[in-house]
Amino acid sequence: MWDTLSWLLFFFILIAIVVIVVYQLICFADLEFDYLNPYDSASRINNVIIPEFITQGVLCVLCLVTGHWMMFILSVPCLLYNMRLYARRQHLVDVTEIFNQLDVAKKQRLFKLGHLISLLFITLFWMIYNALEDDEM
Amino acid sequence: MGTENPNRANNLQGPSATPFAAPRANMPISSSHPMVGSQTSAFRPTSVPAMPNASPFSSPGPTAGSGTPGFRPMQPGRATPSYGPPTTGPPQRVPAPQFSSTSQPTPSQTSHVGQPILPPSMRPPPPSYVPSVPMGSPPQSLYNAPSSNNPPRSFVDSPYSASGPNIQPPPSSTRPTYPGYPGMQSNQVNPPPPPPPVYNQGGYAPSQPPMPAPFSSHQGGYGQVPPVAPSSGMYGGGSAPPTGVMSGLAEDFCSLSLGSAPGSFDGGLDAKALPRPLDGDVEPSSFAGMYPMNCDSRYLRLTTSAIPNSQSLVSRWQLPLGAVVCPLAETPEGEEVPVVNFATMGIVRCRRCRTYVNPYVTFTDGGRKWRCNICALLNDVQNDYFAHLDATGKRVDLDQHPELTKGSVEFVAPAEYMVRPPMPPLYFFMIDVSISAVKSGMLEVMAQTIKSCLDNLPGSPRTQIGFITFDSTIHFYNMKSSLTQPQMMVVSDLDDVFVPLPDDLLVNLSESRPVVEAFLDSLPSMFQDNVNVESAFGPALKAAFMVMSQLGGKLLIFQSTLPSLGVGRLKLRGDDLRVYGTDKEHTLRIPEDPFYKQMAADFTKFQVAVNIYAFSDKYTDIASLGTLAKYTGGQVYHYPSFHSTIHKDRLRHELARDLTRETAWEAVMRIRCGKGVRFTSYHGNFMLRSTDLIALPAVDCDKAYAMQFALEETLLTTQIVYFQVALLYTASCGERRIRVHTAAASVVTDLGEMYRQADTGAVVSLLSRLAIEKSLSYKLEDARNAVQLKIVKALKEYRKLYSVQHRVGGRMIYPESLKYLPLYGLSICKSTALRGGYADAQLDERCAAGFTMMALPVKKMLKLLYPSLLRVDEYLVKAPTVDDEFDRVCRRLPLAAESLDSRGIYILDDGFRIVVWFGRMLSPDLARNLVEEDSATDFARNQTRRTTSGRVLSTLKFS
């Protein structure tokens, strides 16, 4: 029972992170097509970056606490990457250079998105699996 | 290169490796080769004697020698320094290549010396070169032989010799006659425009001043740039005996052999052979030549005026593909950009791509429609703009429409191009008054200069002006016109800066003129006893931002210490030797505190341009401060260890120019180009507002912007690509205007054509910007290597075009249009921004130079990279006569150690400062007259630099 609940929790946290990353990608796309000026776009993106990192951290800690080792190992690379960016102070988008960083930043977020979505499917699978097992008992 | 046989490969190393690898060694610039001495003539006499047997060959030698393979061997014999025959060098040689080419077809290579065997083309080719091969010392003969040994003969053969009276038909014309090299013909058809000067020496007598002796002409070679024969280029220094025929090479490329010849004592190259841009920047004529309606090249320069038609061609053209735009370049008298006012009609633009109407649009349908040249859309002609077409399809009223005949026009922009009423010119000064600023005398010089410029500030009577001073507190000045003396208000709360007075900090100059003058008069004395060493730079910057954000304008910051208080304070991160060469090296060159980037972005948003004047003798972190200028379209002026007695004139000049030059306010710039081509990256001091819109709070004639483009499609189907630069700005007079520059360039399928139409100036400008940008995220070493690699790759690619046909052997070959590229490549690597490592330039100077170079227009950039060196003692000794004589007496000298004679006085001018070099053996009288003191004591005190061979007196003034 607890297992199912924790998987459910992971699932929603992952959904939250995916939403944040997609939001950033949308901001970049808007910027590229000139629907948004660099100032707005940079401040919107920068506003959600720290929440994203924190949520990611919370997810890892929860995995660890609930003893889901496999899940923890899968999500820890992303956390380390985030921490590295943060330590180098490269995590925020730079308004002045945003157009030069556009390609790299988009690619980086697409990779992240891919990673998150694969985690999401794994979570979904285990959640359903656990739910079915609970049922049988 | 790889394809060539081993033999050649070896030789090649020489060429490619030396020029580029050598940066540190200085080779090209100051060639260390002693031999030549200051005058070439010196060594010649000696060589002559050696020649006797050689002479027969020699006479032809000079000419022929270079071209034919056989000839090369001779080189070793050359005067020891004999580096490859100078490309620039002796005029005689120049012709040679052509010669050889012609002669080669004839089997008679073995023919003897001197005999003029006429190839079909009727040139008197001295086949004789060939024979020369065996000779040991022939090289010398090149120089001397013609004149000294058998003068008559040389005369006969003279086509080659510089003596030039006998005019040879231009090689190009003759060339076609040779059956031999059909393949070449196509390329050769249009020899690059620049070459003409070159030919002079060899072939075209007309342009060349008649030179009696080959020698003299030779020497002249130095003085006059053109001597470098583009076509002639082939000097075979290389030992490799290319057996191939050289014919047809002449117009295709220049070459230079750099390897040591077998038998010679030292390897290397003849410094004289190297092409040097002693005439300064030469704009390629093809740009305007092919499309006369193009805007002038001072506004827009393409790295090559031949646009490649396919991706594969782009990738083979190893140099950057792009443009350098200087939208407000200074125009000479009488060539001002015409202003067009469409009044109520509205500006005529393409409906779809928003291109402005320009000379390349075509009118159809009896004048009722026009086709956009960029997107090919048919637009309706408005009734007001309608005019009938004549028989040739041109509008009958063409002469009344400068926008349809000129590549550069200004449109008066109607209200829909304004987001707010046009702003007045606005100058705001933010002045550091801490102890170092007072002690160095900066405050006084600055206040005087500003005062003297008040009359000339653009935009009177709308001009606005304001001042803030700061040390550990911020001082505001109320300059209301009703006051007689400015009122000072001090704000000491640095954490929460506020503006004490909402109005009256910025005042109209013409109304408050007496108050402003009273302020400037009292400013130096007000703070003369200030002992405050702190600098609340960040808070003052915020205050200035609050004052200016209503209107925008220009913010001039005078800073002489490291910001130490409040937000934006900087650490003495200093120039750490240990960091150089590691991956962290670049962090020294980027801003430390994100505050500066954020402020810069905000300034741009509110149309404020920031110019930084930095004066400290200690580290002030220009890397951080300069960011403000970089993203606001400003400029950084750096005066290391400013002292008013030494740098007064320079500061005065630069500040006065900054204040009085014509400036465009609240501008945006966009460059459009035809379908299939897209601008991908922009380089310079500005901020991008959208993917292709450059925001420029203030622009002036000293700012240029570079951009690179790429092909969007794999194959371009159009024949011509059009570029249109549009700068929307507010003129100082308060009118909103759009300056439009239009240019066309043809699409080519041939790589050779791209090289032929390349523009060295634009390539160098773009390369240096890329290198400086690279140095912000990589090591200096990497940035320099990237430049070298690009140039090496480009030359290698070029070589591939011709090596197969011509077996050019151990020589380096290069297109005429890019003959100075290797030299400028070296200059880039040695520029203050990129040279060496820790010890070679102070970090602040390096960063300041980087910011400056990112903004410079092409011509100024080239001058900074390759300054002009003049010898002036002869001129000074002579009684002053006519003014224009100066130009005649003082020619630009190559920047080589051997151009410096210890008995002379030299002036080196790089556009930013002038260095006067007094030779060690300079006559004491002259020195005393000049400096009005005994030279020995005077120099001991004043010199700021010392070289091994002479003394350098420091910066005199900004030119």
Side-chain angles (χ1 to χ4, degrees):
Chain A
M1 183 62 198
W2 283 112
D3 236 17
T4 315
L5 278 184
S6 58
W7 281 116
L8 201 61
L9 190 60
F10 296 163
F11 181 75
F12 285 116
I13 292 177
L14 276 172
I15 292 280
I17 303 175
V18 168
V19 167
I20 294 176
V21 173
V22 169
Y23 175 75
Q24 294 177 21
L25 281 170
I26 290 174
C27 286
F28 278 122
D30 280 354
L31 177 69
E32 211 171 357
F33 293 104
D34 214 1
Y35 296 132
L36 213 54
N37 69 47
Y39 302 97
D40 293 346
S41 150
S43 71
R44 287 184 192 185
I45 293 169
N46 289 343
N47 281 341
V48 298
I49 282 183
I50 294 296
E52 179 208 326
F53 285 13
I54 292 175
T55 326
Q56 173 81 32
V58 168
L59 175 70
C60 285
V61 171
L62 279 180
C63 293
L64 200 59
V65 169
T66 54
H68 292 98
W69 295 103
M70 213 43 217
M71 189 65 188
F72 174 71
I73 287 171
L74 284 178
S75 57
V76 89
C78 192
L79 180 71
L80 288 179
Y81 180 69
N82 286 347
M83 282 164 64
R84 182 162 157 271
L85 284 183
Y86 188 78
R88 296 180 170 198
R89 297 200 297 175
Q90 288 171 348
H91 58 294
L92 292 182
V93 173
D94 180 356
V95 194
T96 50
E97 293 286 345
I98 192 165
F99 286 102
N100 297 335
Q101 298 172 346
L102 200 63
D103 284 343
V104 178
K106 266 169 67 182
K107 205 169 279 172
Q108 174 207 341
R109 282 165 178 80
L110 280 174
F111 270 110
K112 216 179 242 179
L113 194 63
H115 175 79
L116 289 171
I117 289 187
S118 56
L119 280 184
L120 199 63
F121 278 113
I122 294 173
T123 315
L124 201 60
F125 172 79
W126 281 109
M127 189 174 68
I128 295 169
Y129 184 84
N130 276 315
L132 292 177
E133 258 185 1
D134 284 351
D135 248 12
E136 284 168 18
M137 290 187 349
Chain B
M1 293 182 181
T3 58
E4 288 144 71
N5 64 41
N7 212 354
R8 257 189 234 150
N10 293 339
N11 296 335
L12 280 184
Q13 288 183 348
S16 60
T18 27
F20 307 105
R24 302 221 180 130
N26 285 354
M27 284 190 348
I29 300 198
S30 61
S31 66
S32 54
H33 312 304
M35 288 299 305
V36 187
S38 55
Q39 281 98 353
T40 52
S41 57
F43 84 69
R44 287 195 209 125
T46 59
S47 60
V48 175
M51 300 306 309
N53 54 3
S55 61
F57 309 80
S58 64
S59 65
T63 56
S66 51
T68 53
F71 169 35
R72 303 238 197 81
M74 303 182 44
Q75 299 239 340
R78 250 188 153 177
T80 54
S82 68
Y83 302 129
T87 45
T88 40
Q92 309 105 333
R93 298 231 208 99
V94 175
Q98 305 165 349
F99 216 139
S100 58
S101 64
T102 57
S103 62
Q104 294 197 346
T106 58
S108 67
Q109 297 231 340
T110 56
S111 64
H112 348 313
V113 184
Q115 276 203 355
I117 297 174
L118 296 184
S121 64
M122 51 190 315
R123 277 213 204 147
S128 53
Y129 304 152
V130 180
S132 64
V133 175
M135 315 237 338
S137 59
Q140 299 135 351
S141 65
L142 296 183
Y143 292 108
N144 314 332
S147 62
S148 60
N149 289 345
N150 38 5
R153 181 123 8 110
S154 64
F155 224 112
V156 179
D157 295 335
S158 57
Y160 320 82
S161 68
S163 53
N166 29 13
I167 300 169
Q168 244 189 339
S172 59
S173 60
T174 54
R175 169 95 61 49
T177 58
Y178 305 144
Y181 301 83
M184 303 296 308
Q185 307 286 4
S186 61
N187 298 338
Q188 298 157 356
V189 176
N190 41 2
V198 178
Y199 284 121
N200 303 347
Q201 304 201 340
Y204 304 109
S207 58
Q208 199 185 9
M211 300 223 179
F215 288 158
S216 61
S217 62
H218 203 169
Q219 297 186 340
Y222 259 145
Q224 319 157 332
V225 178
V228 181
S231 62
S232 62
M234 328 256 0
Y235 301 104
S239 53
T243 53
V245 187
M246 319 270 330
S247 76
L249 287 188
E251 279 83 17
D252 285 325
F253 53 77
C254 314
S255 85
L256 184 62
S257 72
L258 302 171
S260 64
S264 69
F265 288 104
D266 59 349
L269 69 168
D270 184 346
K272 284 199 234 40
L274 299 167
R276 296 178 199 270
L278 298 184
D279 273 354
D281 175 35
V282 180
E283 289 154 5
S285 54
S286 58
F287 181 63
M290 234 178 298
Y291 299 97
M293 288 185 296
N294 274 1
C295 62
D296 194 279
S297 60
R298 62 177 159 264
Y299 302 116
L300 172 68
R301 289 176 76 161
L302 298 169
T303 54
T304 172
S305 319
I307 308 298
N309 78 328
S310 66
Q311 287 294 357
S312 67
L313 211 52
V314 175
S315 57
R316 284 172 67 202
W317 158 263
Q318 305 281 352
L319 297 168
L321 195 58
V324 181
V325 177
C326 181
L328 289 177
E330 277 177 303
T331 50
E333 200 71 16
E335 286 183 42
E336 285 83 6
V337 178
V339 178
V340 178
N341 194 343
F342 283 120
T344 55
M345 195 195 314
I347 296 174
V348 180
R349 297 177 72 175
C350 171
R351 255 187 347 224
R352 181 164 64 192
C353 64
R354 310 302 292 153
T355 298
Y356 295 87
V357 69
N358 63 65
Y360 297 105
V361 303
T362 44
F363 286 86
T364 55
D365 199 8
R368 281 191 295 276
K369 294 201 183 267
W370 62 275
R371 186 177 294 280
C372 169
N373 55 325
I374 289 197
C375 69
L377 181 77
L378 261 189
N379 291 275
D380 293 329
V381 174
Q382 303 165 38
N383 288 339
D384 301 347
Y385 198 59
F386 176 80
H388 290 284
L389 303 185
D390 64 12
T392 58
K394 292 201 174 99
R395 283 171 64 114
V396 290
D397 60 349
L398 210 55
D399 50 338
Q400 294 157 27
H401 287 278
E403 76 274 13
L404 296 178
T405 51
K406 292 247 164 64
S408 301
V409 285
E410 280 198 351
F411 298 114
V412 176
E416 61 255 37
Y417 291 85
M418 305 173 194
V419 285
R420 58 173 185 176
M423 58 174 278
L426 190 154
Y427 293 90
F428 198 74
F429 299 86
M430 191 178 125
I431 303 159
D432 179 3
V433 291
S434 63
I435 185 168
S436 58
V438 180
K439 284 275 178 294
S440 65
M442 176 275 278
L443 216 50
E444 197 178 347
V445 178
M446 180 218 63
Q448 284 170 1
T449 311
I450 295 176
K451 195 180 164 201
S452 67
C453 290
L454 287 182
D455 279 330
N456 299 323
L457 289 185
S460 177
R462 302 165 69 236
T463 317
Q464 306 231 24
I465 196 166
F467 298 86
I468 284 184
T469 57
F470 64 98
D471 42 29
S472 62
T473 54
I474 305 168
H475 321 128
F476 296 85
Y477 297 88
N478 180 354
M479 304 251 191
K480 208 157 134 183
S481 54
S482 53
L483 300 170
T484 50
Q485 281 287 319
Q487 272 178 349
M488 177 162 145
M489 284 154 287
V490 178
V491 171
S492 54
D493 181 1
L494 301 182
D495 295 328
D496 184 19
V497 184
F498 61 95
V499 177
L501 196 68
D503 312 313
D504 298 330
L505 292 177
L506 268 177
V507 292
N508 185 300
L509 177 61
S510 50
E511 286 169 13
S512 301
R513 179 75 183 261
V515 193
V516 172
E517 286 190 351
F519 169 74
L520 289 171
D521 284 336
S522 57
L523 180 62
S525 54
M526 251 193 296
F527 292 101
Q528 66 186 355
D529 300 323
N530 194 354
V531 290
N532 203 324
V533 294
E534 301 286 353
S535 164
F537 181 85
L541 196 65
K542 286 196 137 179
F545 176 69
M546 283 184 240
V547 176
M548 298 183 75
S549 56
Q550 286 298 316
L551 284 174
K554 213 165 183 171
L555 173 63
L556 293 93
I557 301 177
F558 298 83
Q559 174 71 9
S560 50
T561 46
L562 189 69
S564 60
L565 291 177
V567 61
R569 68 177 153 271
L570 296 168
K571 288 189 302 240
L572 253 182
R573 52 179 171 165
D575 212 357
D576 191 349
L577 174 57
R578 283 163 302 176
V579 175
Y580 278 84
T582 68
D583 289 340
K584 293 211 165 153
E585 185 191 312
H586 71 273
T587 55
L588 291 176
R589 295 186 285 271
I590 57 175
E592 183 193 14
D593 190 336
F595 168 77
Y596 289 94
K597 275 195 170 178
Q598 191 55 49
M599 281 309 285
D602 291 343
F603 274 126
T604 311
K605 194 173 178 183
F606 290 95
Q607 307 292 355
V608 179
V610 181
N611 281 3
I612 306 266
Y613 291 78
F615 300 94
S616 176
D617 48 346
K618 293 191 246 44
Y619 179 69
T620 33
D621 206 346
I622 300 285
S624 296
L625 299 183
T627 314
L628 291 170
K630 174 172 181 179
Y631 293 110
T632 57
Q635 209 173 334
V636 175
Y637 301 88
H638 185 227
Y639 308 83
S641 318
F642 180 85
H643 200 277
S644 62
T645 48
I646 301 172
H647 300 101
K648 183 173 59 184
D649 290 330
R650 182 173 169 200
L651 172 60
R652 226 177 242 162
H653 177 102
E654 291 183 337
L655 179 56
R657 182 165 173 85
D658 189 11
L659 291 177
T660 56
R661 64 189 162 197
E662 184 52 51
T663 304
W665 308 86
E666 46 178 359
V668 288
M669 187 172 89
R670 174 172 273 144
I671 179 163
R672 295 183 170 83
C673 53
K675 206 163 143 271
V677 181
R678 191 171 51 91
F679 279 92
T680 52
S681 63
Y682 300 82
H683 314 274
N685 289 358
F686 56 78
M687 205 179 124
L688 282 175
R689 190 171 293 168
S690 72
T691 37
D692 61 345
L693 189 67
I694 297 177
L696 298 165
V699 207
D700 52 61
C701 54
D702 295 328
K703 306 280 172 4
Y705 309 93
M707 46 224 49
Q708 293 191 82
F709 56 85
L711 300 193
E712 275 185 316
E713 299 152 16
T714 45
L715 211 58
L716 276 189
T717 48
T718 48
Q719 296 301 307
I720 299 177
V721 173
Y722 298 96
F723 297 90
Q724 187 173 69
V725 181
L727 177 82
L728 171 64
Y729 70 97
T730 300
S732 294
C733 62
E735 205 170 41
R736 197 84 172 136
R737 288 191 182 166
I738 305 165
R739 181 174 281 215
V740 178
H741 302 296
T742 313
S746 44
V747 175
V748 299
T749 54
D750 170 32
L751 187 60
E753 192 60 31
M754 287 181 71
Y755 279 105
R756 240 187 311 281
Q757 298 196 21
D759 176 353
T760 310
V763 172
V764 169
S765 180
L766 202 45
L767 275 181
S768 57
R769 284 167 196 247
L770 291 174
I772 290 167
E773 276 181 5
K774 187 148 197 181
S775 77
L776 298 181
S777 39
Y778 296 91
K779 286 180 276 188
L780 288 174
E781 183 84 43
D782 296 338
R784 288 191 298 259
N785 286 343
V787 174
Q788 291 167 11
L789 197 66
K790 277 222 170 71
I791 297 176
V792 170
K793 275 185 175 168
L795 292 180
K796 200 164 145 189
E797 195 67 46
Y798 187 75
R799 187 183 178 83
K800 275 191 209 151
L801 283 181
Y802 295 106
S803 60
V804 179
Q805 292 144 299
H806 301 302
R807 310 261 190 106
V808 283
R811 276 152 299 132
M812 176 177 131
I813 66 172
Y814 47 85
E816 161 65 18
S817 58
L818 294 176
K819 65 183 170 199
Y820 302 135
L821 187 62
L823 175 69
Y824 279 125
L826 279 173
S827 303
I828 293 174
C829 296
K830 290 170 147 197
S831 63
T832 317
L834 293 171
R835 72 165 163 240
Y838 171 75
D840 297 283
Q842 285 197 343
L843 183 59
D844 274 349
E845 283 186 60
R846 204 187 277 287
C847 293
F851 288 123
T852 304
M853 285 168 74
M854 287 300 279
L856 282 185
V858 174
K859 279 196 192 298
K860 293 192 173 178
M861 168 80 90
L862 295 186
K863 184 156 189 197
L864 179 64
L865 290 177
Y866 198 85
S868 59
L869 176 69
L870 306 173
R871 178 171 183 165
V872 291
D873 54 314
E874 287 161 21
Y875 177 73
L876 291 173
V877 170
K878 261 195 278 176
T881 48
V882 212
D883 277 346
D884 63 353
E885 187 156 338
F886 183 80
D887 291 335
R888 206 169 52 76
V889 178
C890 302
R891 288 209 199 97
R892 275 185 78 167
L893 300 170
L895 299 182
E898 64 212 35
S899 343
L900 291 176
D901 177 0
S902 59
R903 284 160 300 182
I905 300 177
Y906 295 84
I907 288 184
L908 179 86
D909 171 17
D910 68 0
F912 287 87
R913 59 190 177 161
I914 292 176
V915 174
V916 181
W917 190 89
F918 287 80
R920 217 169 248 275
M921 318 276 282
L922 181 64
S923 88
D925 292 340
L926 191 55
R928 205 171 295 128
N929 283 338
L930 282 177
V931 296
E932 292 177 353
E933 259 181 90
D934 179 50
S935 61
T937 61
D938 185 56
F939 287 138
R941 238 177 322 148
N942 282 346
Q943 63 183 317
T944 57
R945 266 180 228 182
R946 186 181 279 271
T947 65
T948 50
S949 56
R951 308 179 181 114
V952 176
L953 204 67
S954 81
T955 318
L956 281 194
K957 70 166 203 187
F958 176 96
S959 74

